[in-house]
Amino acid sequence: MTVVAVVGAGNWGRNLVRNFHNLPSSSLKWVVDLDEGRLAKMRELFPGIRTTTAVDEMLADPEVDAVVVSASARAHHPLGMKVLRAGKHAYVEKPLALTALHAEELVSEADDRNLVLMVGHLLLFHPGVLKLKQLVESGELGDLYYLYSQRVNLGVIRQDENSLWSFAPHDLSVMLYLLDQKPVSVTARGAAYLQDGVEDVAFMNVRFSGGCMGQVQVSWLDPHKLRKFTVVGSKKMVVFDDMEAQEKIRIFDKGARVPTEYRSFGDYIGLRFGDILIPRLDASEPLRLECQHFLDCVTRGERPRSDGRGGLEVVRLLEAATRSLAADGAPIQIQEG
Ligand SMILES: NC(=O)c1ccc[n+]([C@@H]2O[C@H](COP(=O)([O-])OP(=O)(O)OC[C@H]3O[C@@H](n4cnc5c(N)ncnc54)[C@H](O)[C@@H]3O)[C@@H](O)[C@H]2O)c1
């Protein structure tokens, strides 16, 4: 049984509290938040838990094995460092940190102390993304040409981070997970309409070492609610639509083939319009799977699927995108870490 504490019981943190309270292999002991009203709500919902506004009080408890940090993005690095320095395993919500330097500090602190550091890249636990991974790895899609994601909505407007830092960690973590290629360069353009200097909408493009291109579109100022990935390969194409209740994955047996030899323009590019397959997916809640994975990694001393290094890679891309945004979309090279 792993004894768990959650820091940050906001809109998202309370889902983590619920899962760690319900999972049989965890014992949720503490919830920490600066807001006493939110703590009172947690005590009402989960009688028996201890609450505090002082993170140090919880960290001083030797029974606590692992701490989940779901506070505001700028608090992730200082809180994560405190947790690791107290000798506890850490699960930090995305983004892992706001600079690559801070993300590196978290990764090396966890390594030095032999502690688990997991990042809340929720989609890596989504059965739809696992299906995409399987399709890519099996070669069913052929060579990957390009992929793009759309994560737009009229939704939660943040003040302390722009739409790119708020949403794109999900899309970037999936691209890095799916592709066996390193990101080489990034461009990003965006615009801030509601608050000075906080981009509501952004379009980010990543070039990968194997020639694949990834495009991320994010916005909290959009009439559509889209959470969609499209992957285009040389043999097949796939759409993962997370807004669909049941049929989240559609595999299109469609493609275009350029023959090595051709006689006329008509022979040149052959288009194929085949069947559409909708595979059945596991209906488990991705967050529950993610929380269980963290507990398993803590118990077995294993590296999480969404480990600190993955979190660092995402932060590196976001940092490059921020520089590109400031330079009106100029390409920024990614330095290998
Ligand atoms: N993985 C996902 O799919 C997903 C979804 C939504 C949000 N998130 C992430 O989760 C985090 C929290 O998001 P949210 O929507 O719950 O935000 P929120 O603003 O609703 O809640 C944040 C909570 O953290 C508390 N807090 C802030 N600093 C603290 C500190 N130093 N010590 C203790 N408590 C502190 C605040 O009082 C607040 O209650 C963000 O990083 C966000 O990016 C992840």
Side-chain angles (χ1 to χ4, degrees), residues 64-132:
V64 173
D65 301 305
V67 179
V68 181
V69 176
S70 179
S72 51
R74 72 163 66 96
H76 288 172
H77 169 258
L79 287 171
M81 290 302 285
K82 270 193 167 200
V83 167
L84 294 167
R85 284 179 177 152
K88 323 272 189 203
H89 301 284
Y91 169 160
V92 180
E93 258 312 330
K94 54 86 207 156
L96 174 59
L98 292 180
T99 65
L101 196 68
H102 279 167
E104 275 165 17
E105 269 178 34
L106 286 160
V107 169
S108 40
E109 192 70 32
D111 281 353
D112 292 350
R113 293 174 182 270
N114 214 8
L115 291 166
V116 171
L117 172 61
M118 185 164 122
V119 186
H121 291 156
L122 176 68
L123 284 180
L124 303 197
F125 301 88
H126 195 303
V129 171
L130 300 185
K131 183 70 193 175
L132 285 181

Side-chain angles (χ1 to χ4, degrees), residues 85-226:
R85 284 179 177 152
K88 323 272 189 203
H89 301 284
Y91 169 160
V92 180
E93 258 312 330
K94 54 86 207 156
L96 174 59
L98 292 180
T99 65
L101 196 68
H102 279 167
E104 275 165 17
E105 269 178 34
L106 286 160
V107 169
S108 40
E109 192 70 32
D111 281 353
D112 292 350
R113 293 174 182 270
N114 214 8
L115 291 166
V116 171
L117 172 61
M118 185 164 122
V119 186
H121 291 156
L122 176 68
L123 284 180
L124 303 197
F125 301 88
H126 195 303
V129 171
L130 300 185
K131 183 70 193 175
L132 285 181
K133 176 79 175 164
Q134 185 214 323
L135 290 166
V136 170
E137 278 196 338
S138 68
E140 191 173 335
L141 305 184
D143 297 330
L144 288 196
Y145 288 157
Y146 71 96
L147 65 172
Y148 63 95
S149 65
Q150 296 156 295
R151 192 169 301 279
V152 304
N153 189 15
L154 190 60
V156 179
I157 297 162
R158 297 198 184 257
Q159 293 174 314
D160 57 342
E161 54 182 348
N162 63 15
S163 56
L164 207 50
W165 284 84
S166 183
F167 297 141
H170 290 305
D171 308 293
L172 296 171
S173 68
V174 172
M175 288 183 184
L176 292 168
Y177 178 58
L178 291 182
L179 298 176
D180 195 17
Q181 303 180 20
K182 289 273 169 209
V184 175
S185 69
V186 164
T187 63
R189 292 184 106 179
Y193 299 105
L194 305 179
Q195 303 168 83
D196 264 356
V198 183
E199 284 79 7
D200 309 292
V201 50
F203 298 85
M204 174 176 174
N205 190 286
V206 187
R207 284 226 175 261
F208 288 90
S209 53
C212 194
M213 182 176 71
Q215 169 80 21
V216 177
Q217 177 188 351
V218 289
S219 172
W220 52 50
L221 191 59
D222 195 287
H224 305 283
K225 180 160 183 163
L226 299 175

